[in-house]
Amino acid sequence: MVQVNQIMPGYHRTVREMSVLQRERGVMLDPGRGQFTDYRGEALTGTLQWGLVLFPHADPLEKLSKNRELGGSEIKQLASILHTDIHQLKQEWNKVSAPHFWTAGTLQPVLLTDYQIKYMHHLHLQGMGVYPMMIRYPQVDTGRQWLGYLAEQPDLSKTQSGHQDEVKQPFGMKSGAAGLERTLEPLLKGIGPTLVTRMVSGGGEMIPGMRPHVIAPANPHYPLRVETTVDARLQQGLEKLVQESGLKEGAIVVLDAANADVRAMVSRPFYRPQHVDPEQSSWGNRAVQAAVPGSIFKIVTAAAAMENHVVANGEKFHCGGEYGKYGLSCWKEHGHGDLSLEQGFAESCNIVFAETARRLSVEQLEHTADRLGLGRSVGWEAQQMAGMSVLRHFDHEDRGRVRTAAVPSTDEGAKIQTAIGQRDVLVTPLQAANLVVTLLHDGKVSAPRLVQRIRYADGNTMLEMPVHDTPSATGQIAPATAHKLLTWMNKVVREGTGKSLQHARWHVAGKSGTAQVQKRGERLHHQWFIGYGPTEQPKYAVAVLVQNVSPEGHHQATAIFRKVMDYLAESS
């Protein structure tokens, strides 16, 4: 015999509670889903707002028009408070048989102002009530695609053993469809919603004498709170900076130079998490999507040359502007003259790096890239954690690549194009920023984090996600190589393609890049600038990617890098 207070298998409610729920109709105030904060504890999701819940009557339009309580002056007052007319109010009041929030004919509940709430309290309409509701995301466009969005996935429940809906309601529970919302779904989904309900008869009609009441889970540990590594103030400031800069496509990644934690990550174009069209691309996080890197990949080629000792100290290369084969030329029309590898790095000279690449094998380039955290996933992940086979921080993170299997290692033209970051090379902005952190850490590759810990609702820690490395199977570059590359990145700003950064608030260092791409047959450029600052005591590593811009335009990525660094300096 089943006891009335016994917990049913697969449920979080007792038999008695289940029996009551089957005789009620309700509206969800809070899905009970875990929330996100920044690393200081500032809320990134979940704000309590107030909305108007309408409780329909059994015989909708007829009873609404005959009932003195709803047909008199007070319903006119309510319509006036809601800035609508009586016809629309009555129509929405009884459009469905279950309680629901007032939407004014839109797809979202209307958020009430303090003024509206104040005057509604003076009304005596039993068919309505003002209740708090959990709003997960603000109604604004944002560049936080790393956070993701929610979507109703009706087939999900069929795959969960023993799952049944506790209450038949006109709403669907949403689950994570992208970003951290998806990768942390098993932890975020919680133990049940908070409902405001009203008793119904066996035929499903509201019982007039029974007042609404609230049903909520009683477990003090839930919902969980996910503490991200993001700095909300920096994130918000950089999103505003991106809009003001005119950046249409691309990404910005800001990592903490000490441990590679993500402090801000902006993807453009922005998306609105409340209204996502899966067929569009704006919800995708361009910070973890691979793009052609251009000359920032020369960091890898220079490292490979040093590690394999293919360039002698003091050796000079001659750049006359044209290489003479493989369709390769230098960006400087008449050439740079005689340059060392260091000078060629500062000036981003293609001819110097083409000659250097001839002395390297494709395998040496690949191994060096792998040791620097390119051509593979670098984002934080752990196996067999919190009941998940793999727990990842970055949803849909691209691995990137150095070359495709179809290109033979003996193809010298392909190798030279690879060495200057063209051909088949692909790098994500996250990998690019992490490459800078790797150099700052003597060649040790860190695993960038988006989450540092998960807490229970009572504040106790449920799960720590400690900093860890992501080493290459082939080892790492020598600390001396990393130090020399950092020195060369300083020279880029002092003497080379990054001279415009000399007037930044901080002393900064970095490497520019321009990649030739085609989009629907049109020749365009991807622009990059990656670097760090301040050089005296590095605090942040930054990658800026500006995609699909005209070849005739100025180097927007360098300009945005300076603005980002200036903003970071002002905020420090």
Side-chain angles (χ1 to χ4, degrees):
M1 179 176 178
V2 178
Q3 300 297 315
V4 293
N5 289 320
Q6 178 183 346
I7 299 293
M8 291 285 286
Y11 297 95
H12 301 286
R13 305 186 189 277
T14 66
V15 175
R16 176 176 291 166
E17 289 173 324
M18 292 289 292
S19 175
V20 171
L21 287 170
Q22 296 303 322
R23 299 197 306 273
E24 304 201 15
R25 292 292 182 270
V27 62
M28 183 167 61
L29 305 179
D30 183 350
R33 188 172 181 84
Q35 302 291 353
F36 291 92
T37 72
D38 80 345
Y39 83 112
R40 291 190 179 95
E42 183 177 335
L44 297 174
T45 60
T47 57
L48 278 177
Q49 301 282 354
W50 294 85
L52 176 66
V53 175
L54 304 174
F55 296 93
H57 284 240
D59 227 348
L61 296 177
E62 182 182 353
K63 284 196 175 182
L64 187 60
S65 60
K66 291 181 178 179
N67 193 312
R68 289 179 57 192
E69 183 179 58
L70 298 179
S73 62
E74 291 203 331
I75 194 171
K76 295 180 181 179
Q77 293 179 43
L78 179 60
S80 176
I81 293 170
L82 294 174
H83 307 296
T84 188
D85 55 61
I86 294 179
H87 173 74
Q88 183 181 3
L89 178 57
K90 289 182 177 182
Q91 187 176 46
E92 184 166 335
W93 202 311
N94 291 280
K95 67 179 179 181
V96 294
S97 61
H100 53 281
F101 279 105
W102 162 252
T103 68
T106 66
L107 297 176
Q108 297 293 329
V110 173
L111 306 182
L112 301 178
T113 65
D114 291 340
Y115 163 85
Q116 290 173 315
I117 295 170
K118 175 183 176 181
Y119 283 94
M120 283 182 192
H121 283 318
H122 297 300
L123 302 179
H124 302 285
L125 299 173
Q126 293 185 9
M128 53 149 274
V130 176
Y131 291 91
M133 56 181 172
M134 184 62 70
I135 303 298
R136 192 160 188 83
Y137 309 111
Q139 290 283 356
V140 294
D141 292 338
T142 176
R144 305 179 186 189
Q145 285 87 341
W146 50 266
L147 190 56
Y149 67 96
L150 303 178
E152 290 186 17
Q153 301 182 39
D155 294 334
L156 189 62
S157 62
K158 298 177 183 178
T159 65
Q160 297 175 350
S161 177
H163 175 85
Q164 294 180 21
D165 289 336
E166 292 186 7
V167 196
K168 302 301 180 184
Q169 297 294 342
F171 58 78
M173 295 292 288
K174 294 183 177 181
S175 56
L180 285 174
E181 294 279 24
R182 189 175 86 94
T183 61
L184 299 181
E185 172 62 27
L187 300 173
L188 291 170
K189 63 183 180 182
I191 59 173
T194 296
L195 312 172
V196 56
T197 67
R198 193 164 180 178
M199 195 69 71
V200 297
S201 66
E205 298 178 350
M206 299 289 173
I207 301 176
M210 303 294 289
R211 297 186 62 82
H213 67 285
V214 174
I215 299 175
N219 191 325
H221 294 303
Y222 293 87
L224 299 177
R225 187 169 75 249
V226 178
E227 293 183 1
T228 70
T229 62
V230 172
D231 184 326
R233 286 174 290 180
L234 292 184
Q235 178 73 30
Q236 185 175 359
L238 293 183
E239 288 182 21
K240 182 179 179 182
L241 183 153
V242 162
Q243 288 178 298
E244 293 174 347
S245 71
L247 174 61
K248 293 181 172 58
E249 297 179 70
I252 296 173
V253 176
V254 178
L255 300 184
D256 190 317
N259 57 10
D261 278 354
V262 175
R263 293 302 182 209
M265 179 178 277
V266 180
S267 179
R268 188 76 166 170
F270 288 176
Y271 81 125
R272 184 166 293 195
Q274 291 276 34
H275 307 287
V276 171
D277 181 355
E279 300 301 317
Q280 300 297 318
S281 62
S282 61
W283 61 270
N285 184 4
R286 297 198 183 205
V288 294
Q289 293 175 0
V292 185
S295 292
I296 66 167
F297 193 79
K298 289 174 182 173
I299 294 173
V300 175
T301 305
M306 294 181 204
E307 297 277 282
N308 293 283
H309 310 290
V310 299
V311 177
N313 290 333
E315 183 177 357
K316 296 288 185 177
F317 300 87
H318 182 74
C319 170
E322 294 292 334
Y323 190 56
K325 51 185 174 180
Y326 310 129
L328 186 68
S329 62
C330 185
W331 63 268
K332 191 170 184 179
E333 186 177 355
H334 299 295
H336 290 96
D338 292 336
L339 296 172
S340 66
L341 181 59
E342 179 181 1
Q343 291 169 325
F345 184 91
E347 294 291 347
S348 202
C349 176
N350 285 342
I351 308 303
V352 169
F353 276 83
E355 280 298 307
T356 301
R358 290 184 62 196
R359 307 176 187 184
L360 292 165
S361 69
V362 175
E363 289 77 15
Q364 287 172 328
L365 287 171
E366 286 181 311
H367 290 160
T368 305
D370 189 75
R371 290 168 186 163
L372 290 169
L374 304 183
R376 58 190 175 94
S377 300
V378 293
W380 195 99
E381 67 175 51
Q383 296 182 348
Q384 303 303 325
M385 176 176 276
M388 288 181 272
S389 58
V390 180
L391 192 159
R392 292 187 176 91
H393 287 185
F394 298 92
D395 188 29
H396 294 102
E397 180 192 358
D398 284 351
R399 293 174 57 89
R401 69 185 182 214
V402 174
R403 63 163 175 163
T404 63
V407 179
S409 59
T410 55
D411 187 335
E412 185 179 82
K415 180 177 64 175
I416 288 174
Q417 289 289 338
T418 298
I420 62 172
Q422 289 285 163
R423 187 67 188 213
D424 302 311
V425 187
L426 293 174
V427 174
T428 72
L430 176 65
Q431 290 171 332
N434 199 51
L435 167 60
V436 177
V437 177
T438 297
L439 298 179
L440 292 170
H441 286 232
D442 296 335
K444 185 175 63 176
V445 183
S446 301
R449 294 189 303 175
L450 262 176
V451 178
Q452 54 188 9
R453 71 181 55 84
I454 298 178
R455 294 189 186 275
Y456 291 112
D458 58 14
N460 291 322
T461 299
M462 175 194 182
L463 191 64
E464 289 279 359
M465 300 188 191
V467 172
H468 69 71
D469 301 328
T470 173
S472 166
T474 59
Q476 68 176 64
I477 66 168
T481 302
H483 295 167
K484 186 172 286 189
L485 286 168
L486 292 173
T487 301
W488 289 11
M489 290 168 75
N490 266 289
K491 193 165 186 174
V492 168
V493 174
R494 293 197 314 271
E495 303 175 13
T497 56
K499 286 180 183 177
S500 62
L501 298 171
Q502 290 178 0
H503 303 293
R505 290 178 179 271
W506 275 341
H507 292 144
V508 298
K511 181 71 186 78
S512 62
T514 301
Q516 298 175 7
V517 296
Q518 284 201 353
K519 185 178 181 181
R520 292 189 288 271
E522 183 181 5
R523 294 173 63 87
L524 298 169
H525 281 175
H526 289 346
Q527 299 175 349
W528 293 80
F529 200 95
I530 67 174
Y532 65 96
T535 55
E536 301 84 356
Q537 191 173 359
K539 293 190 67 174
Y540 298 106
V542 174
V544 175
L545 168 62
V546 179
Q547 293 178 287
N548 301 317
V549 293
S550 169
E552 283 74 40
H554 70 288
H555 205 271
Q556 191 178 1
T558 304
I560 293 176
F561 178 86
R562 176 180 172 176
K563 291 178 181 178
V564 170
M565 279 302 187
D566 284 350
Y567 182 79
L568 294 174
E570 293 168 5
S571 303
S572 297

